[in-house]
Amino acid sequence: MIEAWRRAGRGNLVPILTVLLIIIGIWYLGAIRMNAQWERDQAARAGIELSLPELVSRTLSQDRPVLPAPHQVAEGLWQGVAGQAVTSRRSLVWHGWVTLSATLAGFAIGTAAGIVLAIGIVHSRAMDQSVMPWAVASQTVPILAIAPMVIVVLASIGVTGLLPKAIIAAWLSFFPVLVGMVKGLRTPDGMQLDQMRSWSAGGGRTFWHLRLPSSLPYLFASLKVAIAAALVGTIVGELPAGATAGLGARLLSGSYYGQTVQIWSALFAAAILAATLVAIVGLLERATLKRMGLAR
Amino acid sequence: MDASPLPRNAAIAPAAPVIEARGVSLTFQTADGPVHALKDVDLSIGRGEFVSFIGPSGCGKTTFLRSIAALETPTGGTLSVNGMEPDAARRARAYGYVFQAPGLYPWRTIAGNISLPLEIMGFSRAERAERIARVLDLVELSGFGAKFPWQLSGGMQQRASIARALAFDADILLMDEPFGALDEIVRDRLNEALLELWRKTGKTIGFVTHSIPEAVYLSTRIVVMSPRPGRITRVIESTLPAERPLDIRDTPEFIALAHEVREGLREGHAHD
């Protein structure tokens, strides 16, 4: 993926910008079309005729548009990030930090759980047969159904704040790590394992010197999926039970009060956060694998 | 490794068997019924011998080598290595094993790769450094210790893997088609270097190969095997002198030996 980005940086900027412009164009057309009805109704009520330029300009500057125009979202995003003190309840930086901290905590818990379970599965036949079906089952449960229960149950025993959200994030992020690590820890072939046996190396040494380093390309691929999943889990965890902080709460309060610009700004803030997190993992991946001679 | 600077070879070495196989059989149970990988193999290999195993695929030559290394367990007969069960011999570091692929870890330097078995076996840092330098010198890779495997050619990588197998002073070197993946020119050079190394160190070498010239050039004894069931059909004592320049392969003596090996291989096939 990083490789694709680098190539994009060299020669494919034109097609990427073209696609971006087309999307923005369609977005503007959509905004005009979806917001026009309300402007026409307003004009009819006031008994005035709207010319086309007037109609267009009004549809793109509503307070509560059905679909806000790109520049309105950009402005909302800018206002949320730079126009407020970062400690303000209206600051996207503050909400973003609340979400980010729970995301990172959940990502850490999920990654650790995934790695530990994978090690167990690779080394124990019993775990191999018993854990995987449960892990798969855990992912088929709709997270939207589970999240409120986790929040409520934990709140009833006095656990609130970051931890319940982190647990939901971990719930989503352990799975890709588990699957990737099981695959990665099993990549050493028969010859490599025989080589270890010829040195009378036990399971621990084989794991440490051979299986673990061999699994790193798979681990990093999984981590990129896992960190994005952790962010989704955190935002879902912020939706129920009247949470007041975090990008998820921002999304929810926006929809309560019909603040579409706020919803879209929070949405884009979440997307930018996810892209940044994935890019950071990607950079770590590239540096590590290059250093280890495993870069492909 | 033998510290003695005196060259040794099989001709003057005492004939105490290092590897002794009596009626060794190995049957794999597969979905299509039992496969007799080895049947009633008798062989004894003396200290300092260079024994090649040659035969078509499925003749059990690799299985036999792996049995010596305790990577396979025979289902019948007795097999002893240095007077021990193969498994005990492995724990006593009786052998170094060289596989067809170098199997060097890309995240370790050449020195780091040679160091790995030493780390696993618990050698001290100082002793590891000393041994790495010594075996790198032995395979003529001094100065390459800090390089990573991808910076070396295939032949150099395989030499590094031989150095790794030598690093912990096993008396026996087991080699499973170590040069099979290399081109002929590199192979010739490595064969010459291997003979030189064998003369210098006096190791007992078991060498699996597909190549008749390679087997004849290297060995003091050539064991010809044939498949279904895997067994020894002929054991040929080499009459070549210990000193073997590459052009010995054009002498009538060499050609006669190669012919004998070919005969042996054909004999094995006649049973099909």
Side-chain angles (χ1 to χ4, degrees), chain A residues 190-202 205 209-210 213-214 291-294, chain B residues 66 70-71 90-91 95 97 99 101-103 105-108 116-117 119-121 164 168:
Chain A
M191 190 212 81
Q192 289 176 298
L193 294 172
D194 280 345
Q195 202 171 48
M196 276 289 177
R197 276 173 70 197
S198 79
W199 301 326
S200 303
R205 303 241 188 219
H209 291 296
L210 176 61
S214 306
R291 219 185 120 89
M292 292 184 60
L294 292 171
Chain B
R66 288 171 60 84
L71 294 172
R90 175 175 70 200
R91 283 194 300 275
Y95 69 85
Y97 202 106
F99 293 85
Y105 293 2
W107 54 88
R108 283 178 172 250
L116 180 61
E119 287 169 33
I120 290 170
M121 293 167 187
R164 182 179 52 190
F168 46 92

Side-chain angles (χ1 to χ4, degrees), chain B residues 212-213 216-217 240 248-259:
Chain B
I212 296 172
V216 175
Y217 177 71
L240 297 176
I248 202 170
R249 294 179 299 182
D250 298 324
T251 63
E253 209 176 354
F254 186 98
I255 292 164
L257 273 171
H259 179 75

Side-chain angles (χ1 to χ4, degrees), chain A residues 14 35 49 54 79 111 144 172 188-189 199 208 248 251-252 266 276:
Chain A
V14 175
N35 300 336
E49 277 291 304
E54 271 177 323
Q79 277 297 317
T111 301
L144 269 170
L172 287 188
D189 59 23
W199 301 326
W208 186 251
L251 282 172
L252 196 68
T276 311

Side-chain angles (χ1 to χ4, degrees), chain A residues 181-294:
Chain A
M181 277 306 273
V182 167
K183 173 98 177 140
L185 291 172
R186 284 185 173 150
T187 42
D189 59 23
M191 190 212 81
Q192 289 176 298
L193 294 172
D194 280 345
Q195 202 171 48
M196 276 289 177
R197 276 173 70 197
S198 79
W199 301 326
S200 303
R205 303 241 188 219
T206 304
F207 172 78
W208 186 251
H209 291 296
L210 176 61
R211 287 193 192 274
L212 190 62
S214 306
S215 73
L216 287 184
Y218 295 85
L219 175 63
F220 276 111
S222 298
L223 289 184
K224 284 195 273 193
V225 180
I227 199 155
L231 183 71
V232 171
T234 304
I235 289 175
V236 169
E238 286 167 346
L239 292 177
T244 52
L247 294 174
R250 200 76 185 142
L251 282 172
L252 196 68
S253 71
S255 78
Y256 278 161
Y257 302 112
Q259 297 285 356
T260 43
V261 176
Q262 180 186 325
I263 297 174
W264 282 83
S265 302
L267 213 56
F268 269 80
I272 291 165
L273 191 58
T276 311
L277 290 173
V278 172
I280 290 171
V281 175
L283 285 175
L284 275 176
E285 173 185 40
R286 223 175 115 206
T288 311
L289 296 190
K290 202 175 160 194
R291 219 185 120 89
M292 292 184 60
L294 292 171

